[in-house]
Amino acid sequence: MKQLFLKIAALSLALLLLAGCAGEKTESRSDETAEEPVPADGQTVQPEGEALGTTYAADDVFSLNVLFDSSFNPYRLTSAWNRVVDMLVYEPLIEIDGSFEAQPGLVTAWSSEDGLTWTFSVDTSRRFHSGASLSSIDCAYTLRMALTTDAYKERFASVAEVTTPDTASFQVRLKSVNWRFYTLMNIPCVEADTFYYDFPGGTGPYKFAATEDMLLLDEGHPNAASMPLLRIYLKEYKTASDILQAFESSYIDLVVNDPTSLSNLGYSKTNIIRYVDSTNMHYLGYNMQSVVMSQTAIRTAMTYIVDRSGIVSLYMSGAGVPAALPIHPNNSLYPQELAQSLSYAPEKFSAALDSLGMVDADGDGKLDLFSGVSALAQELDFIVCSDSASKVSAARRIVNEMTKAGLAVTLRELSYEDYMQALKDGDFDIYYAEIKLRPDWNISAIFRADWSAEDSLNFSRASDQMLLSSYAQLLAAPPDGQAAAVDALCGYLAQTAPITVVCFEKSEVLYHRGVISGMEPTQDNTFNGMETWVIDLTAGQS
């Protein structure tokens, strides 16, 4: 027990997260003992710190953590804990599967003749928890809410008009052609005219109880007969230490964790983990006004000194997927052959430096860049946010490879505030960063010309109209031309290297041994396929 309190004391200095209250007891639908699940990649949690002892179900209720003072409205959401609960209550218009491909959801079909005007068909047999039938009015209202919400308004900036020709379909007219627009419609559907409600109506398998401290099975849901729980209790734990203790003591039964962020609590290795592929991409960015990094040949060579597999396995505990291009390798559009040609090969990096005529002109043991007849000795300034141990370790490994090749590089490990200020000021040569991509794989936000804008992500001060045009051509490519458009775009990225992709993160879903089996979560739905789960809330109890 002493180990537990020591670990909790240390974690109380971490991020404040969310809060909770206890509820009544209920039983799971299954009286069978759940078979112990095997994590998707054959691994269990391997966080820092010591194990806190074997954990099982502590009671016969299934509970999730929430923040009661925060709204549960998907379009007014501020709590990551509440977002997880919302996955049980609100279903998306279109589902995105584990390969980041679109699948029917509440919208059963979609079509367009020109990539500008899209028609979406709605499953009008579905009902909200209020009993009202789902119609196109609700779907159009949902999209209009997303247009005005910070979390979604940038992705829907191209939407010009939303109309409802009938109750079974709605249309979206765009300002510019986007044949992958439908992939952006994985947004949670709410009942019309509920923007100011903290608990708007949803269509999910569970609904909020009148007391708002639990979820109840919605008997009208198509999968109601197969769902493993009649009730799910909502508890509230505010601090990192309280959340950790509650989970390790099995008073909350499932948590979602980002193992590469400051909010990683270091849950013990006695728990079960499911790794979940995500569109969170790690990459290196370059200051295009830097003497050295403005050289295209050096940027293109950087791909060869990034040991992506080593970074993922050594510093992310396997919670990532190596990638050399800004499309997830699980997706059918990922250009495997081109990516393979960009793999780790430090000898190719050294050869590229040699081809530039870089030599140690002043005898200081470091290579110098020649410009005309003058040697430019420059120590590269590489910055990384110190709040993420895995990113710091990855950056150190890359800097070590650059140093071995003869470049002078200084790594600055900055606090989040100082890191963001350095990015905004252009005070760097290279930076290590992360961005969450959408399923249309559009990263043009990193390269937009308005880099002086307050919300700009163009920290490189890049100005490449050809690159922006290549992205526009990808979105404008009809379905049978998208693979060729992706190849053209990625080929241009490989030749110009405005960024160097490192990997895509995996998030973690953690739960206790023997309690759940059959879990197959996705980035957007922790409870994906919950109707096939087996839950044993008596596991480990004598």
Side-chain angles (χ1 to χ4, degrees):
M1 201 63 179
K2 183 178 180 182
Q3 288 180 346
L4 173 61
F5 286 119
L6 286 174
K7 185 164 186 174
I8 288 171
L11 285 167
S12 64
L13 299 176
L15 274 182
L16 288 182
L17 295 177
L18 318 172
C21 290
E24 311 173 29
K25 291 187 176 183
T26 187
E27 296 181 356
S28 69
R29 283 195 159 177
S30 174
D31 294 326
E32 301 175 15
T33 301
E35 181 180 333
E36 183 173 311
V38 178
D41 57 2
Q43 298 185 32
T44 52
V45 182
Q46 298 292 334
E48 296 179 3
E50 298 181 33
L52 301 180
T54 303
T55 57
Y56 300 97
D59 50 29
D60 60 351
V61 301
F62 190 88
S63 303
L64 298 173
N65 195 45
V66 298
L67 183 62
F68 284 121
D69 290 340
S70 178
S71 177
F72 286 85
N73 188 319
Y75 297 97
R76 297 171 56 206
L77 201 62
T78 59
S79 163
W81 295 102
N82 291 11
R83 180 179 181 274
V84 172
V85 171
D86 275 3
M87 294 174 184
L88 292 163
V89 180
Y90 306 102
E91 295 174 306
L93 297 180
I94 286 177
E95 304 266 6
I96 299 294
D97 64 19
S99 297
F100 305 101
E101 304 283 3
Q103 304 294 340
L106 297 178
V107 164
T108 58
W110 50 89
S111 62
S112 178
E113 294 182 356
D114 56 8
L116 275 173
T117 300
W118 287 85
T119 300
F120 297 91
S121 300
V122 179
D123 184 355
T124 55
S125 70
R126 300 298 305 279
R127 291 185 176 274
F128 286 100
H129 301 143
S130 65
S133 295
L134 173 69
S135 78
S136 62
I137 304 299
D138 304 292
C139 298
Y141 179 82
T142 290
L143 180 53
R144 292 189 185 106
M145 286 182 66
L147 293 174
T148 61
T149 303
D150 287 344
Y152 295 104
K153 65 182 181 182
E154 194 275 332
R155 77 156 67 184
F156 292 123
S158 66
V159 172
E161 184 181 29
V162 184
T163 58
T164 51
D166 54 60
T167 58
S169 66
F170 65 99
Q171 290 186 335
V172 181
R173 183 171 59 84
L174 305 179
K175 301 172 186 175
S176 57
V177 175
N178 184 351
W179 280 99
R180 293 189 59 78
F181 175 74
Y182 63 92
T183 66
L184 305 181
M185 297 293 282
N186 59 324
I187 57 175
C189 183
V190 297
E191 196 168 1
D193 301 322
T194 58
F195 180 77
Y196 293 103
Y197 292 21
D198 283 332
F199 301 89
T203 62
Y206 291 90
K207 60 186 178 181
F208 291 104
T211 54
E212 300 171 356
D213 62 349
M214 71 177 77
L215 301 180
L216 303 176
L217 180 66
D218 178 20
E219 297 292 349
H221 191 274
N223 294 330
S226 303
M227 299 305 289
L229 295 166
L230 298 174
R231 297 180 180 87
I232 296 174
Y233 288 87
L234 307 180
K235 299 181 180 180
E236 190 175 51
Y237 299 96
K238 289 186 177 180
T239 65
S241 58
D242 286 346
I243 292 166
L244 178 64
Q245 184 174 20
F247 180 68
E248 300 297 352
S249 300
S250 300
Y251 290 108
I252 51 178
D253 294 288
L254 180 151
V255 294
V256 176
N257 185 52
D258 180 351
T260 69
S261 76
L262 179 62
S263 61
N264 176 24
L265 297 188
Y267 297 100
S268 92
K269 65 184 179 182
T270 59
N271 298 301
I272 295 296
I273 184 174
R274 291 289 184 186
Y275 284 126
V276 184
D277 288 307
S278 81
T279 56
N280 290 3
M281 184 183 79
H282 290 206
Y283 69 98
L284 303 181
Y286 307 108
N287 188 339
M288 294 303 180
Q289 299 175 359
S290 160
V291 172
V292 177
M293 300 318 298
S294 62
Q295 305 294 315
T296 302
I298 293 181
R299 295 197 309 274
T300 57
M302 285 293 293
T303 187
Y304 301 125
I305 49 94
V306 178
D307 183 3
R308 298 169 175 88
S309 295
I311 287 170
V312 166
S313 63
L314 294 174
Y315 311 129
M316 299 175 67
S317 299
V321 179
L325 295 163
I327 297 173
H328 198 286
N330 285 3
N331 191 260
S332 60
L333 291 175
Y334 188 70
Q336 296 284 355
E337 187 174 342
L338 175 59
Q340 186 63 34
S341 72
L342 303 174
S343 297
Y344 175 64
E347 68 281 1
K348 290 185 179 180
F349 181 69
S350 295
L353 300 185
D354 289 342
S355 69
L356 288 170
M358 294 186 71
V359 297
D360 181 10
D362 54 10
D364 65 352
K366 301 296 181 183
L367 299 178
D368 302 309
L369 177 69
F370 275 82
S371 176
V373 295
S374 302
L376 303 174
Q378 172 122 1
E379 186 163 342
L380 295 173
D381 181 20
F382 191 134
I383 64 172
V384 64
C385 181
S386 61
D387 289 348
S388 170
S390 62
K391 293 184 179 71
V392 168
S393 295
R396 288 175 180 173
R397 186 181 184 92
I398 294 167
V399 167
N400 183 55
E401 293 280 1
M402 296 175 72
T403 302
K404 285 194 297 184
L407 294 179
V409 190
T410 296
L411 179 65
R412 286 194 292 150
E413 301 169 10
L414 305 176
S415 68
Y416 177 77
E417 292 77 11
D418 290 343
Y419 172 77
M420 290 305 301
Q421 192 61 54
L423 288 177
K424 292 175 181 178
D425 293 343
D427 183 19
F428 64 89
D429 292 295
I430 306 171
Y431 67 95
Y432 192 110
E434 172 187 345
I435 185 172
K436 183 174 183 178
L437 301 184
R438 304 187 308 250
D440 65 351
W441 311 116
N442 188 347
I443 61 169
S444 58
I446 300 177
F447 308 113
R448 286 181 184 152
D450 58 342
W451 54 265
S452 59
E454 183 65 25
D455 59 349
S456 174
L457 299 179
N458 188 357
F459 303 118
S460 296
R461 278 64 171 170
S463 180
D464 190 333
Q465 290 304 312
M466 181 66 76
L467 177 59
L468 296 178
S469 176
S470 295
Y471 268 106
Q473 290 173 25
L474 168 60
L475 299 181
D480 60 357
Q482 287 187 6
V486 166
D487 288 346
L489 169 64
C490 290
Y492 183 78
L493 287 171
Q495 292 170 6
T496 58
I499 62 173
T500 297
V501 179
V502 177
C503 65
F504 283 88
E505 283 184 5
K506 291 185 179 185
S507 61
E508 298 174 341
V509 179
L510 297 107
Y511 49 95
H512 306 300
R513 291 183 180 276
V515 177
I516 302 172
S517 64
M519 176 180 283
E520 294 294 339
T522 64
Q523 174 176 255
D524 296 328
N525 188 2
T526 299
F527 306 95
N528 176 56
M530 189 176 179
E531 63 274 11
T532 66
W533 291 13
V534 175
I535 296 181
D536 178 15
L537 295 175
T538 65
Q541 298 183 41
S542 56

